[in-house]
Amino acid sequence: MDEMVEGRAPGYRYSRRGTLPLIRELSVVPNLRNALFLALQWAVIVAACAIAIRIDRWPAYLLCGLVIGTRIQCLAMIMHDACHGLLFSNRRVNDLIGDLFVAYPLLISVDLYRVAHMVHHRHTNTAQDYDYRVQRRDPDQQFPKSGGAMIALLFRSLFGLNYYRIARAARVWSPLANLHNPKRFGFDFRLGLRVRYLIWAVLVYGLILWSPWRWQILGLIFIPQLIWANVFNRIRAMAEHNGVIDTLEINGTRTVIPTLFDRVMIGPLNVSYHLEHHLFPSVPGHNLRRLHAHLMADPAYAANAHITSGYWGVIQELMPPGGRQPPRSNPTAASFSNR
């Protein structure tokens, strides 16, 4: 497993050999656990909406919106697991529930997200990686930044001044933006998937608009979604591959050891253990911390893996005092790497 990856130096790839027996154990998808966990997120969202509407005061809307935002971020991470087929062991059930109760409320399709995301896994940090290309075009994702520039970025993100950049990039995952049936990354968004989304949208949005609390519900769902996507999800995304050396597979992706604040607001479901996820994408999120502990027993991994303490630590790494960001992989030389 240590063979040379095309476009990379020999020894770039991290050996999986000694970890495979544990991976088989950690890769079992717990269907009942995941169903209850997903139901819990929606129970909290519905309860928060009901409490805010019942009290009908701006502090209640603010507090309940905060709670809903954390659950929306959690849904986004569940959607990521669904993209990898890790929500339910049955693929049809995984994709159906993943769409109806996770992806569609986030204005995304599991199938469309999966296509781009699998390319990201195969060609991480290269010109073939859609996420990499988006980052190279977005001035907000150019690092390092000075302290003032980082504060300005977070300010623009908090008030939605740069949300259009995320929305523009996310169109490739949107069922609404792809109803005319383009072929994204060779994937045909077939008629059955488009019809399913249209039926869902008519029923769900129709019920919301029929409700006498339509504007409160829409505000409680979409305003936190905008803030979390543009602030906290942006922080999570910029932590994953920015400011890395990428001379080895294990220092081309960053793992963040989260604080309690990080786990609630930014990286639920162990998504901050991103290096472990890239090495073993068959492992569901709830097992990534255990996988991390196992890998840290390997001296080569512990010495070379890019591991940062907390997302505040990531922000500090991305605004070094007078320093330069470690070079990213060369997208031309590495454009055919297949990891």
Tab-separated table of all heavy atoms in Angstrom, residues 17-49:
chain	number	residue	atom	x	y	z
A	17	ARG	N	-2.216	-1.179	5.590
A	17	ARG	CA	-2.181	-2.625	5.821
A	17	ARG	C	-2.484	-3.000	7.272
A	17	ARG	O	-3.309	-3.854	7.543
A	17	ARG	CB	-0.813	-3.172	5.407
A	17	ARG	CG	-0.740	-4.695	5.422
A	17	ARG	CD	0.616	-5.184	4.936
A	17	ARG	NE	0.850	-4.811	3.550
A	17	ARG	CZ	1.778	-3.925	3.155
A	17	ARG	NH1	2.535	-3.316	4.058
A	17	ARG	NH2	1.938	-3.646	1.884
A	18	GLY	N	-1.847	-2.345	8.215
A	18	GLY	CA	-2.015	-2.733	9.607
A	18	GLY	C	-3.341	-2.321	10.218
A	18	GLY	O	-3.686	-2.753	11.325
A	19	THR	N	-4.107	-1.510	9.506
A	19	THR	CA	-5.351	-0.981	10.061
A	19	THR	C	-6.580	-1.684	9.503
A	19	THR	O	-7.677	-1.534	10.030
A	19	THR	CB	-5.443	0.538	9.767
A	19	THR	OG1	-4.220	1.157	10.135
A	19	THR	CG2	-6.567	1.191	10.536
A	20	LEU	N	-6.439	-2.479	8.459
A	20	LEU	CA	-7.596	-3.039	7.763
A	20	LEU	C	-8.504	-3.889	8.653
A	20	LEU	O	-9.735	-3.793	8.535
A	20	LEU	CB	-7.135	-3.843	6.549
A	20	LEU	CG	-6.543	-2.991	5.406
A	20	LEU	CD1	-6.088	-3.883	4.259
A	20	LEU	CD2	-7.552	-1.959	4.926
A	21	PRO	N	-7.977	-4.726	9.553
A	21	PRO	CA	-8.906	-5.491	10.410
A	21	PRO	C	-9.814	-4.590	11.246
A	21	PRO	O	-11.015	-4.854	11.377
A	21	PRO	CB	-7.959	-6.311	11.291
A	21	PRO	CG	-6.706	-6.447	10.486
A	21	PRO	CD	-6.577	-5.142	9.758
A	22	LEU	N	-9.260	-3.521	11.817
A	22	LEU	CA	-10.085	-2.599	12.600
A	22	LEU	C	-11.075	-1.867	11.704
A	22	LEU	O	-12.220	-1.627	12.107
A	22	LEU	CB	-9.190	-1.592	13.326
A	22	LEU	CG	-9.920	-0.495	14.109
A	22	LEU	CD1	-10.719	-1.096	15.261
A	22	LEU	CD2	-8.937	0.552	14.634
A	23	ILE	N	-10.655	-1.518	10.487
A	23	ILE	CA	-11.531	-0.788	9.572
A	23	ILE	C	-12.785	-1.590	9.269
A	23	ILE	O	-13.891	-1.035	9.174
A	23	ILE	CB	-10.781	-0.427	8.276
A	23	ILE	CG1	-9.648	0.553	8.582
A	23	ILE	CG2	-11.732	0.178	7.247
A	23	ILE	CD1	-10.094	1.801	9.306
A	24	ARG	N	-12.650	-2.880	9.088
A	24	ARG	CA	-13.833	-3.715	8.826
A	24	ARG	C	-14.821	-3.626	9.991
A	24	ARG	O	-16.036	-3.596	9.789
A	24	ARG	CB	-13.410	-5.159	8.578
A	24	ARG	CG	-12.816	-5.394	7.200
A	24	ARG	CD	-12.647	-6.878	6.911
A	24	ARG	NE	-11.523	-7.436	7.646
A	24	ARG	CZ	-10.270	-7.477	7.176
A	24	ARG	NH1	-9.998	-6.967	5.984
A	24	ARG	NH2	-9.303	-8.020	7.886
A	25	GLU	N	-14.303	-3.568	11.205
A	25	GLU	CA	-15.170	-3.445	12.382
A	25	GLU	C	-15.811	-2.064	12.460
A	25	GLU	O	-17.020	-1.936	12.744
A	25	GLU	CB	-14.356	-3.707	13.644
A	25	GLU	CG	-15.125	-3.516	14.945
A	25	GLU	CD	-14.231	-3.625	16.166
A	25	GLU	OE1	-13.106	-4.158	16.051
A	25	GLU	OE2	-14.665	-3.161	17.251
A	26	LEU	N	-15.021	-1.029	12.194
A	26	LEU	CA	-15.526	0.347	12.317
A	26	LEU	C	-16.448	0.741	11.175
A	26	LEU	O	-17.180	1.736	11.296
A	26	LEU	CB	-14.346	1.316	12.373
A	26	LEU	CG	-13.380	1.199	13.559
A	26	LEU	CD1	-12.314	2.285	13.483
A	26	LEU	CD2	-14.139	1.300	14.883
A	27	SER	N	-16.431	0.011	10.071
A	27	SER	CA	-17.207	0.412	8.895
A	27	SER	C	-18.628	-0.123	8.883
A	27	SER	O	-19.366	0.113	7.925
A	27	SER	CB	-16.473	-0.047	7.623
A	27	SER	OG	-15.215	0.601	7.508
A	28	VAL	N	-19.027	-0.837	9.927
A	28	VAL	CA	-20.409	-1.335	10.015
A	28	VAL	C	-21.350	-0.153	10.234
A	28	VAL	O	-21.132	0.677	11.126
A	28	VAL	CB	-20.551	-2.361	11.153
A	28	VAL	CG1	-22.009	-2.779	11.318
A	28	VAL	CG2	-19.670	-3.569	10.876
A	29	VAL	N	-22.385	-0.056	9.425
A	29	VAL	CA	-23.343	1.047	9.515
A	29	VAL	C	-24.438	0.696	10.522
A	29	VAL	O	-25.175	-0.286	10.326
A	29	VAL	CB	-23.971	1.343	8.141
A	29	VAL	CG1	-25.028	2.441	8.251
A	29	VAL	CG2	-22.892	1.735	7.132
A	30	PRO	N	-24.589	1.476	11.600
A	30	PRO	CA	-25.617	1.181	12.620
A	30	PRO	C	-26.962	1.804	12.227
A	30	PRO	O	-27.243	2.961	12.522
A	30	PRO	CB	-25.039	1.839	13.872
A	30	PRO	CG	-24.247	3.001	13.351
A	30	PRO	CD	-23.732	2.616	11.995
A	31	ASN	N	-27.810	1.040	11.580
A	31	ASN	CA	-29.053	1.584	11.011
A	31	ASN	C	-29.969	2.195	12.069
A	31	ASN	O	-30.458	3.323	11.903
A	31	ASN	CB	-29.794	0.479	10.251
A	31	ASN	CG	-29.050	0.025	9.015
A	31	ASN	OD1	-28.661	0.832	8.189
A	31	ASN	ND2	-28.849	-1.279	8.900
A	32	LEU	N	-30.229	1.462	13.151
A	32	LEU	CA	-31.142	1.966	14.175
A	32	LEU	C	-30.581	3.210	14.841
A	32	LEU	O	-31.305	4.197	15.052
A	32	LEU	CB	-31.405	0.876	15.218
A	32	LEU	CG	-32.340	1.272	16.362
A	32	LEU	CD1	-33.707	1.700	15.826
A	32	LEU	CD2	-32.488	0.123	17.369
A	33	ARG	N	-29.300	3.188	15.178
A	33	ARG	CA	-28.667	4.348	15.802
A	33	ARG	C	-28.806	5.574	14.916
A	33	ARG	O	-29.154	6.661	15.376
A	33	ARG	CB	-27.188	4.057	16.071
A	33	ARG	CG	-26.433	5.225	16.688
A	33	ARG	CD	-24.930	4.987	16.651
A	33	ARG	NE	-24.203	6.051	17.325
A	33	ARG	CZ	-23.943	7.238	16.796
A	33	ARG	NH1	-24.370	7.522	15.572
A	33	ARG	NH2	-23.268	8.147	17.485
A	34	ASN	N	-28.533	5.418	13.623
A	34	ASN	CA	-28.587	6.554	12.713
A	34	ASN	C	-30.009	7.062	12.537
A	34	ASN	O	-30.235	8.275	12.429
A	34	ASN	CB	-27.992	6.167	11.360
A	34	ASN	CG	-26.484	6.026	11.413
A	34	ASN	OD1	-25.848	6.404	12.401
A	34	ASN	ND2	-25.895	5.487	10.358
A	35	ALA	N	-30.981	6.143	12.503
A	35	ALA	CA	-32.383	6.565	12.377
A	35	ALA	C	-32.810	7.382	13.586
A	35	ALA	O	-33.466	8.432	13.448
A	35	ALA	CB	-33.279	5.336	12.210
A	36	LEU	N	-32.446	6.928	14.779
A	36	LEU	CA	-32.813	7.659	15.996
A	36	LEU	C	-32.080	8.998	16.067
A	36	LEU	O	-32.653	10.009	16.492
A	36	LEU	CB	-32.487	6.807	17.228
A	36	LEU	CG	-33.321	5.535	17.404
A	36	LEU	CD1	-32.805	4.711	18.576
A	36	LEU	CD2	-34.794	5.881	17.579
A	37	PHE	N	-30.832	9.011	15.647
A	37	PHE	CA	-30.056	10.253	15.668
A	37	PHE	C	-30.655	11.285	14.714
A	37	PHE	O	-30.772	12.464	15.055
A	37	PHE	CB	-28.605	9.949	15.284
A	37	PHE	CG	-27.679	11.118	15.451
A	37	PHE	CD1	-27.346	11.598	16.708
A	37	PHE	CD2	-27.130	11.743	14.342
A	37	PHE	CE1	-26.484	12.671	16.866
A	37	PHE	CE2	-26.267	12.829	14.478
A	37	PHE	CZ	-25.944	13.291	15.756
A	38	LEU	N	-31.058	10.846	13.527
A	38	LEU	CA	-31.688	11.755	12.568
A	38	LEU	C	-33.028	12.249	13.097
A	38	LEU	O	-33.342	13.447	13.004
A	38	LEU	CB	-31.877	11.037	11.230
A	38	LEU	CG	-32.604	11.820	10.133
A	38	LEU	CD1	-31.899	13.134	9.830
A	38	LEU	CD2	-32.723	10.968	8.865
A	39	ALA	N	-33.814	11.350	13.680
A	39	ALA	CA	-35.108	11.744	14.247
A	39	ALA	C	-34.921	12.770	15.365
A	39	ALA	O	-35.717	13.714	15.507
A	39	ALA	CB	-35.852	10.521	14.759
A	40	LEU	N	-33.875	12.607	16.159
A	40	LEU	CA	-33.606	13.550	17.239
A	40	LEU	C	-33.339	14.945	16.709
A	40	LEU	O	-33.823	15.943	17.276
A	40	LEU	CB	-32.412	13.061	18.069
A	40	LEU	CG	-31.933	14.010	19.181
A	40	LEU	CD1	-33.025	14.203	20.232
A	40	LEU	CD2	-30.660	13.465	19.829
A	41	GLN	N	-32.591	15.058	15.620
A	41	GLN	CA	-32.291	16.379	15.063
A	41	GLN	C	-33.577	17.095	14.645
A	41	GLN	O	-33.768	18.280	14.929
A	41	GLN	CB	-31.337	16.270	13.859
A	41	GLN	CG	-30.090	15.444	14.100
A	41	GLN	CD	-29.426	15.710	15.427
A	41	GLN	OE1	-29.138	16.857	15.795
A	41	GLN	NE2	-29.167	14.643	16.174
A	42	TRP	N	-34.476	16.356	13.984
A	42	TRP	CA	-35.728	16.973	13.552
A	42	TRP	C	-36.661	17.268	14.724
A	42	TRP	O	-37.399	18.265	14.692
A	42	TRP	CB	-36.418	16.097	12.507
A	42	TRP	CG	-35.829	16.323	11.149
A	42	TRP	CD1	-35.047	15.485	10.425
A	42	TRP	CD2	-35.957	17.520	10.385
A	42	TRP	NE1	-34.673	16.083	9.250
A	42	TRP	CE2	-35.220	17.327	9.195
A	42	TRP	CE3	-36.609	18.732	10.577
A	42	TRP	CZ2	-35.136	18.311	8.205
A	42	TRP	CZ3	-36.520	19.711	9.599
A	42	TRP	CH2	-35.796	19.496	8.425
A	43	ALA	N	-36.620	16.433	15.755
A	43	ALA	CA	-37.429	16.713	16.944
A	43	ALA	C	-36.979	18.019	17.596
A	43	ALA	O	-37.812	18.835	18.014
A	43	ALA	CB	-37.311	15.555	17.934
A	44	VAL	N	-35.667	18.241	17.663
A	44	VAL	CA	-35.150	19.487	18.246
A	44	VAL	C	-35.536	20.684	17.370
A	44	VAL	O	-35.956	21.730	17.886
A	44	VAL	CB	-33.622	19.399	18.405
A	44	VAL	CG1	-33.053	20.757	18.826
A	44	VAL	CG2	-33.254	18.340	19.432
A	45	ILE	N	-35.422	20.539	16.045
A	45	ILE	CA	-35.763	21.642	15.142
A	45	ILE	C	-37.240	21.998	15.260
A	45	ILE	O	-37.608	23.186	15.379
A	45	ILE	CB	-35.408	21.269	13.689
A	45	ILE	CG1	-33.889	21.218	13.514
A	45	ILE	CG2	-36.021	22.265	12.705
A	45	ILE	CD1	-33.438	20.673	12.172
A	46	VAL	N	-38.111	20.990	15.227
A	46	VAL	CA	-39.560	21.246	15.327
A	46	VAL	C	-39.902	21.862	16.677
A	46	VAL	O	-40.694	22.821	16.766
A	46	VAL	CB	-40.339	19.942	15.093
A	46	VAL	CG1	-41.824	20.146	15.420
A	46	VAL	CG2	-40.175	19.476	13.653
A	47	ALA	N	-39.316	21.345	17.754
A	47	ALA	CA	-39.589	21.888	19.089
A	47	ALA	C	-39.114	23.330	19.196
A	47	ALA	O	-39.815	24.180	19.771
A	47	ALA	CB	-38.897	21.020	20.145
A	48	ALA	N	-37.933	23.634	18.648
A	48	ALA	CA	-37.423	25.007	18.711
A	48	ALA	C	-38.323	25.955	17.929
A	48	ALA	O	-38.585	27.081	18.376
A	48	ALA	CB	-35.994	25.048	18.165
A	49	CYS	N	-38.799	25.521	16.771
A	49	CYS	CA	-39.725	26.351	15.989
A	49	CYS	C	-41.012	26.606	16.784
A	49	CYS	O	-41.509	27.750	16.851
A	49	CYS	CB	-40.064	25.668	14.666
A	49	CYS	SG	-38.787	25.753	13.407
